[in-house]
Amino acid sequence: MFNSYATIVSLIALAKDRMREEKGATAVEYGLLVGLIAVAIILTVTALGGQLNGLFQSVVDALP
């Protein structure tokens, strides 16, 4: 009985340590994802900027 209790306690302690270590890695991964999404948005807006401007200008011209 005591041996199984000690095993459970050690597994919980190990899990807590792993969670602490993975928080920093997760934050870095989310930061990289946000950076890549920002680069994709900037590239898309730059590539389609003229076309979008023309589209919005045609909508503005069509309004009374």
Side-chain angles (χ1 to χ4, degrees):
M1 176 70 177
F2 182 74
N3 190 15
S4 61
Y5 177 74
T7 303
I8 292 173
V9 169
S10 63
L11 285 175
I12 291 172
L14 180 65
K16 286 182 180 179
D17 286 341
R18 296 276 318 242
M19 285 176 50
R20 236 181 275 127
E21 290 174 5
E22 291 178 2
K23 284 183 183 177
T26 304
V28 170
E29 291 167 357
Y30 282 131
L32 288 173
L33 282 174
V34 167
L36 289 174
I37 291 170
V39 168
I41 290 171
I42 290 169
L43 291 175
T44 303
V45 168
T46 302
L48 300 177
Q51 293 176 353
L52 286 174
N53 191 20
L55 175 68
F56 286 129
Q57 190 60 45
S58 65
V59 170
V60 168
D61 292 341
L63 293 174

